[in-house]
Amino acid sequence: MAEKEKKYFWLKLPRNFFDKHYIKALRRKKHEDFPEVFGNMLVLFYVWMLAESIDHSGCLRYSESKPYDAETLSDVSDFPLHFVTLALPIFTELELVVTESDGTLFLPKSAKMIGSESASAQRVREHRERKKAEHDNSETIEKPDKTADGYNVTQSNEVKPESNIENKSIENKSIDIITDSKESVCRTEVQRVVDAWNSLGDIGIKGVSKMSSTSKRYKSLVARIKEYGSDKVIEAIESIRDSDFLRGKNRNGWTITFDWFMLPNNFPKVLDGNYANPGGQKQRTGDAKLDRLYNRVSEVDDWV
């Protein structure tokens, strides 16, 4: 029998890979056991995992019958076992790694990066089908595909009391967004901006839980995306992290809100850095020595 032809695969990172929200979220992670470098180590380890998963369509397996565990990953990657055990839960929380029923670690985002697109796309479809089956017995919100006004509706799988939504962290979770099918701004762009805003929850900024195409906030958001582009809107959102004033450290204790941010007179001021800390210095810890150290590390990050 002729030897089976060996297939070769490749990993393709998108041009804006390091601008992805989940990559930025990883780089912001801190841990006392790995001072200053923990976030960048997470990104490097995640890229290593993507490359390692190429031959198994997005899965981390030592062989077809043996999936990787934390100890095996440490041995193969040369990352310390203690670091690997810290990293895996973080990847799981950000939905960068999913543990399947047989213990296999699957990287969902690998589908668009691995050269064997048909195989990895099939893996993603199978994973989604399994997730859907797991939720068959849970309550769902039944909504029509289109309303009488011709709006497309994004459905949520879980029923949550509206009164509790405001009190729960909504970072990295989709929300109900109703978008006009005739709009030139697609739902993906709207969701990207909302996700970026909700990621500010880790610094105490109130997130967005609901939005419809008839609301003032939606129209303001669409207007800013049309005027500046979604990348610039997200850039302005990220700049809020560098503004003590917008984060509530001001005389009145006022904190920026989504609706205020999207107003046509306010948005360009944030984008242009009018509220940035003097000299670009970030004052997050309240300790002058630690703040100076933080700023030096941030400057190094900017070089990467």
Side-chain angles (χ1 to χ4, degrees), residues 10-242:
W10 43 259
L11 179 70
K12 179 176 67 175
L13 298 182
R15 184 180 183 85
N16 63 339
F17 178 76
F18 289 98
D19 291 326
K20 298 289 186 181
H21 303 313
Y22 54 87
I23 295 298
K24 290 186 175 181
L26 289 178
R27 296 189 69 186
R28 288 194 294 267
K29 296 292 184 181
K30 307 291 182 182
H31 196 279
E32 59 184 6
D33 293 345
F34 301 92
E36 301 183 17
V37 298
F38 185 63
N40 288 336
M41 285 179 65
L42 287 173
V43 175
L44 179 60
F45 185 45
Y46 178 60
V47 174
W48 179 89
M49 292 170 70
L50 287 171
E52 184 68 13
S53 71
I54 290 176
D55 289 339
H56 296 281
S57 301
C59 290
L60 291 169
R61 306 186 66 85
Y62 183 79
S63 64
E64 289 299 329
S65 61
K66 183 180 180 181
Y68 280 155
D69 55 18
E71 186 173 353
T72 310
L73 283 173
S74 175
D75 291 341
V76 175
S77 68
D78 289 330
F79 281 88
L81 177 59
H82 176 49
F83 169 79
V84 174
T85 56
L86 290 172
L88 290 179
I90 294 175
F91 293 152
T92 300
E93 179 186 0
L94 295 176
E95 299 182 350
L96 299 177
V97 173
V98 174
T99 303
E100 300 186 338
S101 58
D102 64 349
T104 298
L105 299 176
F106 171 56
L107 282 62
K109 296 186 183 299
S110 63
K112 296 182 180 180
M113 303 182 196
I114 295 178
S116 180
E117 295 177 1
S118 60
S120 82
Q122 177 63 26
R123 169 68 69 172
V124 171
R125 284 194 295 271
E126 293 173 355
H127 169 66
R128 288 175 178 170
E129 289 173 359
R130 284 194 294 272
K131 288 191 68 175
K132 183 177 182 300
E134 291 172 0
H135 291 287
D136 278 346
N137 296 326
S138 64
E139 290 186 277
T140 59
I141 301 175
E142 295 185 0
K143 298 181 181 179
D145 290 337
K146 290 189 177 181
T147 66
D149 297 327
Y151 297 137
N152 295 326
V153 180
T154 300
Q155 300 190 99
S156 172
N157 287 332
E158 297 181 359
V159 177
K160 297 183 179 179
E162 186 172 333
S163 60
N164 292 335
I165 291 178
E166 297 293 340
N167 299 323
K168 292 185 177 181
S169 171
I170 53 179
E171 181 182 359
N172 298 320
K173 295 183 180 178
S174 296
I175 66 171
D176 288 344
I177 299 179
I178 304 176
T179 59
D180 192 331
S181 59
K182 297 179 181 179
E183 282 285 2
S184 60
V185 175
C186 68
R187 186 186 66 81
T188 302
E189 291 183 279
V190 173
Q191 187 67 60
R192 283 185 63 219
V193 173
V194 172
D195 288 345
W197 180 269
N198 287 341
S199 72
L200 298 178
D202 61 1
I203 59 172
I205 304 298
K206 187 176 181 181
V208 177
S209 59
K210 283 190 174 182
M211 186 184 302
S212 70
S213 63
T214 58
S215 66
K216 182 178 179 181
R217 62 169 41 172
Y218 171 78
K219 292 177 180 179
S220 295
L221 169 55
V222 169
R224 301 293 80 75
I225 293 176
K226 285 183 176 180
E227 187 175 2
Y228 295 92
S230 57
D231 289 339
K232 279 294 182 182
V233 176
I234 293 172
E235 177 184 326
I237 291 174
E238 288 296 326
S239 73
I240 295 172
R241 296 181 178 276
D242 302 332

Side-chain angles (χ1 to χ4, degrees), residues 250-261:
N250 53 69
R251 182 180 303 175
N252 299 320
W254 173 84
T255 303
I256 189 173
T257 63
F258 185 83
D259 296 325
W260 183 94
F261 171 71

